[in-house]
Amino acid sequence: MLSLFSKSRLHRNHDHQKLEASRRHQHAEQECDAADSLDASTNRATETKMSSNTSASSPNPSEQLWDTAYDQLKQKEPKLVDAYETVLSQPLSGNSSGHQPLKYQNSIEQTDISKRRSQMDKLIQTGLARTEKEAKVKQSVGEVMQKMLSVKDVVSSAVQAMPQAALAWTGVCFALQIFTNPTTESKTNRDGLDHVIHRMKWYDELSRPLLKHTTGDDRSFAGMHSQLEKRVVHLYQELLSYLIKSVCSYYRNRFLSFLRDTVKLDSWDGSLKNIQDAEKAFKLDSSAYNTQKNTANIEVLAKIAMSTEDNDCLRHLHVSDPRDDKKRIEQTKGGLLRDSYRWVLDTKDFRRWRTDNQSRLLWIKADPGKGKTMLLCGIIDEIQGEGSSTKPLSYFFCQATDSRINTATAVLRGLIYLLIKQCPSLISHVRARYDQAGRGLFEDANAWVALSDIFMDMTQDPILANVYLIVDALDECAIELSKLLDLIVRSLSFSSHLKWIVSSRNWPDIEERLQEQDEKVILSLELNVKSVSEAVNNYVKHKVNDLTQMKRYDDSTKASVQEYLLSNANGTFLWVALVCQNLASTAKWKTLATLKTYPPGLKPLYQRMMNLICNSEESEILKQILALTAVVYRPITLGELLSLMHMPDGFADNPIWLEELVKQCGSFLTIRETTVYFVHQSAKDFVLKNALDEIFPSGAAEVHYNVYSKSIEGMSSLKRDIFNLQDPAVSMTVIKIPEEDLLKRLRYSCVYFIDHLLAVDKCFEKVGSCDEEKVRKFFEKHFLHWLEALSLMGNIGDGIRAISKLLIQLQKMPTPSPLLDLVEDMRRFALLNKDIVEAFPLQTYISALIFCPVGSVTRQLFKNEEPEWITLKPIVEEGWSSCLQTLEGHSESVTSVAFSPDGQKIVSGSWDNTVRIWDAATGSPQQTLQGHSGSVSSVAFSPDGQKIVSGSWDKTVRIWNAATGSPQQTLNGHSGYVTSVAFSPDGQKIVSGSWDNTVRIWDAATGSPQQTLQGHSGPVTSVAFSPDGQKIVSGCYDYTVRIWDAATGSPQQTLQGHSGPVSSVAFSPDGQKIVSGSEDNTVRIWDAATGSPQQTLEGHSGLVDPIATSLGSRSKTILIDHHWVTVNGRKALWLPHNRRNNCFDSLGNGLVIGSASGAVTIVRFELSKF
C-alpha cells in the first residue's frame, strides 16, 4: 500500500503536470499577446485623434469601432436612436422608477464622446442594479428566470473585462429587464438577446488581434484592413440596432407613449438574421485577412522570447538551419538568378499545384546538374515574397555529402525546426516528449518514429491552417528514404491543408512510391527542354557578363565565350557554372584556347578536371584532399582536414596554404565558412565511381585507416581540464568555448575515429597487432580525457555508440583480443557515468572514478587522476556488478518492468502514474506514456513487440503503440485496482487481475471484454498465460493459485498450500509446471496438469523494510545538497543514484551517508587541498 507520504507526492506530481499544461497554454496566449502588443505599440503612433472635444487620451481601436458603429446607426435611424437615448436619460435625470415621467428629454452627450462613455458606464451599473432588484421583488421561478439570472452573471463579469464596449453593454443591461417580464416580450426576442449576450466577448475581440492600424511596414494589407474594418462596423451596427430595438420595445410596452410610433419593433427573426448574416460576412473576410497577417508577422512571432527549457529543446532539435543551408547553396553556386527559374511559375503543372486543392504534391525530377536545387530556391523566394501568400513555409535541402543532413530523421528535424522558428508556440508539440526523453528524443533509435508523430500532430495545429513543405534532393537522403517517402504520402491523406514540393533525380524507386499518391503533379525538366534551355541561356549571359566585368574581356572574347557556352551547355546549369569558375582563374590571354578544352557534358568535364589534378605538380596532395573529403562522414573544416593529412615535405602546417590547395580542386570542392564541401553530389559520385584508380590506388580502406591513424595521433594532445575550467562542478549549461579552442581541430577525430577503423576491411585482422597496441595505448593514457572532450562537444552518446561498435567487432574476432577486456571495462565505465559526465565534464575524474569498482581496469589506469582532497574514499564493490546500467527518470517507485521480445527495449511502470520505454543498449529514455490517473502496477510487451499493455490503480487497462507511445485502447470494466496484466502467446488476448477479486480476458485488437473469471475470494495479485495460450494461472490474497481455461473461462484447478497471500505466478517454458511466490516466504512448484504440489522452496526471510533517521549534520563545512556533496559551499562530489542520502552526518572533514539502497558511504576530505 502507498503511504500517505507517497500518495501526497503522487498528488504533487499530478498538480505539477496540470500546472505545466496551464503554463504551456498561457505561454501560447502570451505569444499572441506579445505580437499584439508589438503591433499596438507601433500603431498608437499613427492613430488619428478624435475631435478636439474628446479627452486627451486616445481611445483604443475597439472603442473607436463601437463609436463609429453607433454614430453611423444614429445617422441611419435618427428617430430610433433618439428615442433610445431618451429612455436612457430617465435614470440620469433621477427617475429610476418604472413610471412615466412628467416630461421626456434626451440628456445623452452628443459631442464629447468621452463624456458619453462616462454616461454609459453609469447606466450599465444602473441597469444591472435595476434588473437584480426587479428579480428579487418578483421572486420569479422557472426556466425564464433561471435564464435571466444566468445571463446576468455572464454580463456582470464580462462588463468588467471589456469596458471598451460600453455602448453595447448599456443596451444589454437595459435589455436584461426583458427577462424579468416574460409575458410582455416574445420568446423570439428573448432567445435573440440570449444569442447576442453570450457572443458579446467574441464580438468585442474582433477588433483586437485583427484590426490594428496599418503601419509603414504592412501597407500591403491596407485594402483588406479597410474592408475588414467595414465588416466589423456593420456587424456592430446590426448588434446595436437589435439591442436598441429590444430596449425601446420593452419600454413601449410599459406605456412610454413617445415610443409608440418610433419604428417597427417586432420583426425579431429578421433582426437576428441580419446579425447572423453580418457574422458570416465578417468570418469570410477575416479568415483571409487573419491568415495573411499571421504569415506576414511570422518573423515577428519567431523573435518572441521562449523559456529556457524551450530554447534547450530547440537547440537539441537543431541539426542544421535550412535558411543557412539555402544561403550557402546560393552563394556556392554564384547567386540566384530570377531569369533562370521564373519560367517554372508559368508552367501548367506548377499552376495546377498552386491553385488546385486536389493537386497537393509537386514532384520536380531531372538528371544531375539541371538546376533542380536552384529552381526550388527560386520557388521558395517567390512564395515568401508574395504579399498574398497565406501559408507558412518550411523547407529542407538534403545533401548526401553531409551526414548531418542526409537522413530522413534530419529532414524532419529541419522541417519541424523551421516551423517552430516561424511560430514558437508549436514547440509545445515537441516539449510534450522532449521533457521526458531529453536530447535522446532526436538522436536515439526511435527518433524517426517519435519525430514523425510530432510532425503529424504539429500539422494538425489550428495555427497552421495551411502550410507549404519543400524538400530538395530526395535522392540524396541516404538513410531511410523509404520512410520519408511514406511520410509524405501518408501526410497528404492525413491532412488536407498540406502542399508538398519535392525534387530528385529520375530514380525508379522514388517514382514507384510517389505513384501511389493520386494528388501529385509531375514536372519533368527533361520534358520542358525549351524552357530549361532558355533558362540556361539566361544563366550563361549572366555569367559571361560577370566574367567580362572581372576579366575585362573585349567584345570579341565575350562573344566567343558566350557562343561556346550556349552551344555546349546542353541545358545543364552545373556545367556552365564549373566552366565559368575555371575561366575566372584563367589568364585572359589564354581564355579562348582554354575554353575549347572544356568538353560538353558533366562526366567529360569532370574527367578533364581530374586529368588536370593528376598532372599537377601538387597532384599527390590534391588527390589526398579529394580522397579524405570523399570518405569522411560529414563535411570537415580546413583545420580538421589539416589534422588528418600527411603533409609532404616543404608544406607548412598552415590552413591558409591548405585553402589554396583546396581551391585547386575547384571543379570538385568548394569552401564555405572554412568548411569543405563537394560542389555537387555528382562530383562526389564521379570521384567514388569513376576516379577510383586515381584517388584510391590502394582502395578506400587505406584512406579510412589513415584517417583513424592521424586521429589517434592528433588526440594524443588531449588532457585533463582542456578548457581550464577548474571548478569540478561547472555545468555544461554555462561552459563557453574559449578563444583558444584546443578541440577545434580534433572534433571530427574524437567522434569518428572508431568508425574509420571499423571501415577498414576485416578491421584488426588486416590492420595487425600493431594497431591493437596503438588503440590500447591511446585508451590507457587518454580514455578519460576523450570522455571529457566528448562531453564538452556534446557528443557523449556518439562516443558510447562508437565504443560499443568496437566491442562488438572485437567479440567477433576468431582469436580473443587482449584489447577486449579493456574496451569492455571502459564501455561499462562510460555507461555507468554517462549522465554525470554529460552534464558536468570534470566529474569524469571525481565522482565517476571514486564510485567505480576498485578492480575496474579504468580506475586502476587512472588512479593518479583521483582527487587528492578526498583522503578516505567510499567503499565500493570489487568488480563490476551484473548491473549494466541504472535507468533514471521515474519520480516514484518502479513497480513493473519487461524486455521487448527482441531485447532492444525495456518498458517500466511506476507509482508516478507513467509507463516509460527505454533503449536497452544505451539506457536512454525513448518514450513516456502518460494517461493513467493512478499508479501503474504492471506492464508487458506483446509477443511481436508492437504493443504494450499496462494495468493501473485507476482500475483501467491500457494498450499502447510500442513504437510511437501513443495510446490505442483503454479497457474499462474492473471495479478495483488492476494489479497484473499479460498478453497471450499469440498476442490476440490480454488477461488482467484486479483487487475486485476477478480475472478478466480482453480482445487485444478491439479492447472488448471476452470473459470475467470469478472464484477468488480476495484481490488477484498476479496472472499469466500458459505457453500454448490454452490456460491462465492466477495468484490471490486468498492464499490460493487457480488455473483457468483460457477459451471458456471455466475454473480447472485450485492449488492450495500457501499460508500467506500469493504475490506472483508463472508457467514453466514447457507449460508443464507452475511456480508461485508468497508472502509466507516460500516458493512452490506445482504440476500444471494435476495441480498437485511438487516442491516447496524455503529460505527467504521475508521483506526487510529499513527505516533510518538522520542526526543532522554537525559540520557546516561538508554538507549534502540534493545529488551533491558540498565543501565550503562549493559543489565537489556528485553522488550516484545508489549513494544518495536517506540520512547523513558529517563531522570535521568526514561524511557518512546512509542510502535507501542499503549502502553506507564514508568519505573523508583533505580540505586544505580543495
Side-chain angles (χ1 to χ4, degrees):
M1 297 286 289
L2 279 173
S3 67
L4 290 175
F5 176 68
S6 297
K7 288 182 178 178
S8 70
R9 292 171 69 187
L10 284 172
H11 287 308
R12 286 200 303 273
N13 288 340
H14 182 61
D15 291 342
H16 174 73
Q17 292 168 0
K18 290 193 291 185
L19 285 171
E20 177 61 18
S22 175
R23 188 193 73 78
R24 283 261 150 236
H25 177 69
Q26 289 174 356
H27 180 66
E29 288 187 340
Q30 288 167 0
E31 183 178 286
C32 293
D33 289 343
D36 290 349
S37 298
L38 184 62
D39 281 344
S41 63
T42 306
N43 294 338
R44 288 190 196 105
T46 62
E47 286 181 356
T48 57
K49 293 185 178 181
M50 304 277 293
S51 69
S52 57
N53 292 325
T54 62
S55 63
S57 60
S58 299
N60 63 41
S62 180
E63 288 176 322
Q64 285 186 322
L65 291 174
W66 284 110
D67 289 334
T68 300
Y70 188 86
D71 291 338
Q72 288 184 4
L73 180 63
K74 192 169 186 177
Q75 292 177 4
K76 183 180 178 182
E77 299 188 64
K79 285 187 178 181
L80 174 65
V81 176
D82 183 66
Y84 170 67
E85 290 181 346
T86 302
V87 172
L88 299 184
S89 298
Q90 307 314 302
L92 292 176
S93 64
N95 179 22
S96 58
S97 69
H99 300 292
Q100 180 175 329
L102 295 177
K103 73 174 186 175
Y104 311 114
Q105 184 176 350
N106 184 348
S107 303
I108 300 300
E109 177 61 42
Q110 301 297 311
T111 57
D112 191 329
I113 293 178
S114 63
K115 288 184 179 178
R116 183 174 72 187
R117 290 197 192 103
S118 298
Q119 288 178 320
M120 295 299 172
D121 290 338
K122 181 178 179 181
L123 288 167
I124 288 170
Q125 301 306 319
T126 301
L128 289 173
R130 177 180 293 178
T131 302
E132 185 171 359
K133 180 179 179 182
E134 290 197 16
K136 289 180 178 178
V137 170
K138 292 176 179 277
Q139 296 182 345
S140 303
V141 294
E143 178 185 351
V144 173
M145 185 52 62
Q146 288 173 0
K147 176 170 282 191
M148 189 281 294
L149 293 173
S150 171
V151 169
K152 177 186 174 297
D153 290 340
V154 171
V155 173
S156 297
S157 59
V159 164
Q160 297 178 11
M162 293 179 290
Q164 63 272 11
L167 283 168
W169 287 126
T170 305
V172 168
C173 292
F174 273 71
L176 272 177
Q177 296 173 75
I178 293 171
F179 291 101
T180 67
N181 294 274
T183 58
T184 62
E185 303 303 323
S186 73
K187 185 177 185 300
T188 304
N189 185 200
R190 294 196 304 272
D191 289 344
L193 280 171
D194 186 60
H195 170 85
V196 168
I197 290 169
H198 281 87
R199 291 174 68 80
M200 271 296 298
K201 183 177 181 181
W202 179 76
Y203 293 139
D204 182 66
E205 288 182 346
L206 299 180
S207 62
R208 287 155 40 95
L210 295 171
L211 294 179
K212 306 195 173 59
H213 288 284
T214 307
T215 68
D217 294 331
D218 58 2
R219 293 296 181 191
S220 59
F221 297 96
M224 292 192 69
H225 180 284
S226 176
Q227 176 64 22
L228 190 59
E229 187 171 299
K230 290 177 182 177
R231 292 290 191 196
V232 176
V233 170
H234 175 65
L235 175 56
Y236 285 2
Q237 273 190 50
E238 295 294 341
L239 170 66
L240 289 169
S241 176
Y242 191 90
L243 292 170
I244 289 172
K245 289 177 181 178
S246 297
V247 172
C248 290
S249 175
Y250 172 75
Y251 280 92
R252 180 187 63 179
N253 292 330
R254 298 193 72 181
F255 311 110
L256 293 187
S257 57
F258 68 90
L259 292 169
R260 290 173 188 170
D261 301 318
T262 301
V263 71
K264 180 175 175 57
L265 299 172
D266 300 323
S267 180
W268 301 119
D269 287 330
S271 298
L272 183 59
K273 186 177 183 303
N274 291 341
I275 293 176
Q276 292 169 337
D277 288 344
E279 289 177 4
K280 291 177 183 177
F282 170 78
K283 287 178 182 178
L284 288 173
D285 285 350
S286 67
S287 176
Y289 176 84
N290 192 31
T291 308
Q292 291 184 34
K293 188 67 173 177
N294 283 344
T295 303
N297 283 337
I298 251 163
E299 291 301 322
V300 175
L301 291 175
K303 295 176 183 177
I304 295 172
M306 295 193 292
S307 69
T308 301
E309 293 81 5
D310 288 338
N311 285 318
D312 287 343
C313 176
L314 197 60
R315 186 173 66 254
H316 289 152
L317 171 66
H318 174 274
V319 64
S320 180
D321 190 328
R323 296 170 298 185
D324 293 336
D325 290 330
K326 179 174 177 290
K327 291 177 184 177
R328 170 178 55 81
I329 290 168
E330 291 175 0
Q331 292 179 14
T332 299
K333 299 191 176 186
L336 180 61
L337 181 65
R338 191 167 189 270
D339 286 344
S340 67
Y341 71 79
R342 63 181 178 184
W343 65 269
V344 76
L345 307 176
D346 297 323
T347 61
K348 62 181 177 60
D349 293 325
F350 184 83
R351 291 201 308 268
R352 177 182 161 199
W353 170 82
R354 193 69 191 276
T355 60
D356 183 5
N357 289 331
Q358 300 304 312
S359 302
R360 298 187 291 118
L361 171 62
L362 175 63
W363 176 30
I364 299 175
K365 62 174 187 169
D367 290 334
K370 295 297 184 180
K372 300 183 295 295
T373 297
M374 296 302 275
L375 197 65
L376 261 60
C377 288
I379 290 173
I380 290 168
D381 284 354
E382 291 294 323
I383 292 175
Q384 290 179 328
E386 290 178 354
S388 60
S389 174
T390 61
K391 301 178 182 179
L393 168 66
S394 186
Y395 51 86
F396 191 86
F397 295 89
C398 294
Q399 194 167 344
T401 56
D402 188 342
S403 63
R404 298 173 308 116
I405 53 177
N406 68 355
T407 70
T409 300
V411 174
L412 272 189
R413 289 173 71 173
L415 291 175
I416 292 171
Y417 177 85
L418 201 51
L419 286 172
I420 292 173
K421 292 297 286 185
Q422 294 176 84
C423 186
S425 66
L426 291 174
I427 202 170
S428 61
H429 296 279
V430 185
R431 285 288 306 278
R433 296 197 182 194
Y434 172 82
D435 289 350
Q436 304 298 329
R439 187 173 186 167
L441 175 69
F442 312 124
E443 299 174 351
D444 62 31
N446 288 310
W448 168 262
V449 175
L451 286 169
S452 58
D453 281 350
I454 290 170
F455 175 77
M456 297 299 277
D457 289 344
M458 188 177 286
T459 59
Q460 294 300 299
D461 194 298
I463 202 168
L464 291 181
N466 295 286
V467 62
Y468 287 132
L469 299 165
I470 298 177
V471 179
D472 177 55
L474 288 175
D475 52 285
E476 298 195 37
C477 179
I479 300 175
E480 298 183 327
L481 171 60
S482 60
K483 290 184 177 180
L484 178 58
L485 293 171
D486 287 341
L487 175 78
I488 293 171
V489 173
R490 181 163 56 94
S491 69
L492 289 168
S493 60
F494 189 73
S495 302
S496 61
H497 57 272
L498 300 182
K499 286 211 168 192
W500 286 88
I501 301 179
V502 297
S503 73
S504 75
R505 301 186 192 185
N506 296 298
W507 280 12
D509 53 346
I510 294 177
E511 182 169 8
E512 180 181 355
R513 188 65 186 92
L514 295 182
Q515 287 289 359
E516 300 175 18
Q517 175 51 240
D518 296 330
E519 299 180 345
K520 69 180 177 302
V521 179
I522 300 177
L523 198 161
S524 172
L525 299 192
E526 280 78 14
L527 297 180
N528 288 269
V529 176
K530 183 179 179 182
S531 297
V532 173
S533 295
E534 289 178 359
V536 172
N537 290 345
N538 289 329
Y539 182 66
V540 167
K541 293 171 185 176
H542 172 74
K543 297 299 289 184
V544 171
N545 285 335
D546 287 347
L547 280 172
T548 300
Q549 185 174 0
M550 177 193 304
K551 307 294 289 186
R552 298 184 180 180
Y553 290 158
D554 55 35
D555 291 343
S556 176
T557 303
K558 176 182 178 182
S560 297
V561 171
Q562 184 164 300
E563 181 183 354
Y564 188 85
L565 295 178
L566 290 172
S567 301
N568 293 278
N570 293 329
T572 304
F573 286 93
L574 182 57
W575 184 89
V576 176
L578 292 175
V579 171
C580 290
Q581 177 181 296
N582 281 275
L583 289 176
S585 58
T586 301
K588 184 167 65 172
W589 63 274
K590 287 184 178 181
T591 297
L592 295 181
T594 305
L595 179 65
K596 294 178 181 179
T597 66
Y598 298 125
L602 275 180
K603 237 180 220 185
L605 180 62
Y606 283 141
Q607 187 60 60
R608 183 211 182 258
M609 302 303 179
M610 183 59 66
N611 293 339
L612 289 176
I613 288 173
C614 293
N615 294 324
S616 165
E617 292 182 6
E618 298 84 22
S619 63
E620 292 305 314
I621 193 167
L622 295 181
K623 288 190 287 185
Q624 185 185 169
I625 290 172
L626 279 175
L628 286 170
T629 311
V631 303
V632 291
Y633 295 101
R634 66 160 171 80
I636 54 178
T637 65
L638 288 168
E640 290 170 335
L641 177 59
L642 195 59
S643 72
L644 300 176
M645 292 185 64
H646 292 280
M647 299 298 289
D649 294 339
F651 282 85
D653 182 7
N654 191 321
I656 297 177
W657 287 24
L658 181 61
E659 184 175 354
E660 293 299 319
L661 291 168
V662 171
K663 287 179 179 178
Q664 291 188 43
C665 303
S667 295
F668 295 96
L669 303 178
T670 185
I671 300 172
R672 166 75 173 152
E673 294 180 352
T674 75
T675 299
V676 182
Y677 299 87
F678 273 96
V679 294
H680 193 268
Q681 179 61 29
S682 61
K684 183 176 182 180
D685 291 344
F686 181 87
V687 170
L688 292 174
K689 296 175 183 178
N690 302 95
L692 288 175
D693 292 340
E694 295 92 339
I695 304 302
F696 303 103
S698 302
E702 183 180 49
V703 182
H704 281 291
Y705 177 73
N706 289 337
V707 173
Y708 147 74
S709 182
K710 289 294 290 184
S711 294
I712 289 282
E713 180 183 319
M715 291 188 297
S716 63
S717 64
L718 293 175
K719 60 181 181 179
R720 178 171 177 163
D721 195 9
I722 196 166
F723 281 1
N724 194 30
L725 301 171
Q726 298 184 5
D727 181 359
V730 66
S731 168
M732 277 297 297
T733 59
V734 299
I735 293 175
K736 298 187 183 302
I737 297 176
E739 288 186 15
E740 188 180 352
D741 182 5
L742 299 180
L743 294 177
K744 188 174 183 178
R745 292 190 179 186
L746 301 178
R747 291 175 184 271
Y748 183 85
S749 295
C750 285
V751 175
Y752 292 104
F753 82 99
I754 290 177
D755 293 279
H756 285 285
L757 178 60
L758 297 179
V760 179
D761 294 338
K762 296 184 181 179
C763 196
F764 290 103
E765 287 185 25
K766 180 171 182 176
V767 174
S769 60
C770 63
D771 287 282
E772 289 189 57
E773 185 70 11
K774 186 182 291 185
V775 174
R776 183 185 64 78
K777 285 184 177 180
F778 170 74
F779 277 144
E780 287 181 350
K781 185 174 182 180
H782 295 293
F783 176 67
L784 293 191
H785 307 151
W786 179 61
L787 285 185
E788 179 197 338
L790 288 170
S791 173
L792 292 168
M793 295 186 298
N795 293 108
I796 279 288
D798 293 322
I800 291 176
R801 278 188 284 273
I803 203 169
S804 297
K805 284 191 261 185
L806 177 60
L807 178 63
I808 291 171
Q809 185 65 37
L810 290 168
Q811 291 169 339
K812 289 180 180 178
M813 291 179 64
T815 303
S817 167
L819 192 59
L820 179 62
D821 290 341
L822 174 64
V823 172
E824 187 165 15
D825 188 274
M826 290 181 169
R827 176 177 174 270
R828 291 292 300 268
F829 183 92
L831 281 172
L832 176 67
N833 297 292
K834 173 180 178 289
D835 292 340
I836 179 60
V837 172
E838 195 169 40
F840 306 95
L842 294 188
Q843 286 294 312
T844 304
Y845 310 97
I846 304 173
S847 175
L849 269 182
I850 71 169
F851 288 111
C852 180
V854 292
S856 161
V857 177
T858 304
R859 183 165 184 177
Q860 294 300 318
L861 286 171
F862 294 95
K863 195 168 185 63
N864 63 331
E865 297 280 9
E866 293 181 11
E868 295 180 354
W869 43 270
I870 300 181
T871 56
L872 178 61
K873 311 229 174 16
I875 297 174
V876 294
E877 59 269 29
E878 180 64 29
W880 290 107
S881 69
S882 54
C883 174
L884 289 173
Q885 199 170 4
T886 299
L887 315 183
E888 296 186 87
H890 284 296
S891 58
E892 295 286 349
S893 297
V894 177
T895 57
S896 180
V897 293
F899 271 104
S900 62
D902 61 6
Q904 295 186 17
K905 297 180 182 179
I906 294 170
V907 63
S908 59
S910 168
W911 279 4
D912 65 8
N913 301 0
T914 70
V915 176
R916 286 180 179 253
I917 304 173
W918 314 80
D919 185 300
T922 66
S924 60
Q926 293 186 336
Q927 304 280 349
T928 298
L929 317 184
Q930 295 178 313
H932 282 298
S933 58
S935 299
V936 178
S937 54
S938 182
V939 292
F941 273 99
S942 61
D944 62 4
Q946 300 298 307
K947 297 179 180 179
I948 291 170
V949 63
S950 59
S952 170
W953 284 24
D954 64 9
K955 306 177 185 178
T956 71
V957 175
R958 287 181 177 254
I959 304 173
W960 314 80
N961 185 304
T964 66
S966 58
Q968 293 186 331
Q969 301 278 350
T970 299
L971 317 184
N972 292 295
H974 282 297
S975 58
Y977 302 150
V978 178
T979 55
S980 182
V981 292
F983 274 98
S984 61
D986 61 6
Q988 296 183 14
K989 296 179 180 179
I990 291 171
V991 63
S992 59
S994 168
W995 275 33
D996 63 8
N997 303 358
T998 70
V999 175
R1000 288 181 179 256
I1001 303 173
W1002 314 80
D1003 186 298
T1006 66
S1008 59
Q1010 294 185 333
Q1011 301 279 350
T1012 300
L1013 317 184
Q1014 296 178 314
H1016 281 298
S1017 59
V1020 178
T1021 57
S1022 181
V1023 293
F1025 273 98
S1026 61
D1028 61 8
Q1030 296 183 15
K1031 296 179 180 180
I1032 291 172
V1033 64
S1034 60
C1036 181
Y1037 257 57
D1038 63 8
Y1039 302 3
T1040 69
V1041 176
R1042 288 181 178 255
I1043 304 173
W1044 314 80
D1045 185 297
T1048 66
S1050 59
Q1052 292 185 335
Q1053 301 281 347
T1054 299
L1055 317 184
Q1056 297 179 318
H1058 281 296
S1059 58
V1062 178
S1063 55
S1064 183
V1065 293
F1067 277 95
S1068 62
D1070 60 6
Q1072 301 295 310
K1073 297 177 182 179
I1074 290 171
V1075 63
S1076 60
S1078 168
E1079 291 185 19
D1080 64 7
N1081 304 342
T1082 69
V1083 175
R1084 290 179 179 259
I1085 301 174
W1086 314 79
D1087 185 294
T1090 65
S1092 59
Q1094 293 189 334
Q1095 200 170 358
T1096 300
L1097 313 180
E1098 298 181 283
H1100 287 291
S1101 58
L1103 175 65
V1104 178
D1105 189 5
I1107 300 174
T1109 59
S1110 173
L1111 296 175
S1113 173
R1114 285 173 282 173
S1115 169
K1116 301 301 181 183
T1117 302
I1118 304 170
L1119 299 169
I1120 291 183
D1121 179 10
H1122 197 42
H1123 301 326
W1124 287 91
V1125 175
T1126 64
V1127 179
N1128 294 323
R1130 291 177 58 200
K1131 292 178 179 177
L1133 175 66
W1134 185 84
L1135 297 171
H1137 67 96
N1138 61 334
R1139 300 279 178 167
R1140 291 172 191 164
N1141 71 303
N1142 200 37
C1143 56
F1144 78 94
D1145 192 16
S1146 59
L1147 183 64
N1149 64 347
L1151 174 70
V1152 60
I1153 306 168
S1155 305
S1157 64
V1160 176
T1161 302
I1162 303 173
V1163 189
R1164 182 166 289 119
F1165 300 86
E1166 179 59 56
L1167 301 180
S1168 62
K1169 294 183 178 181
F1170 179 73

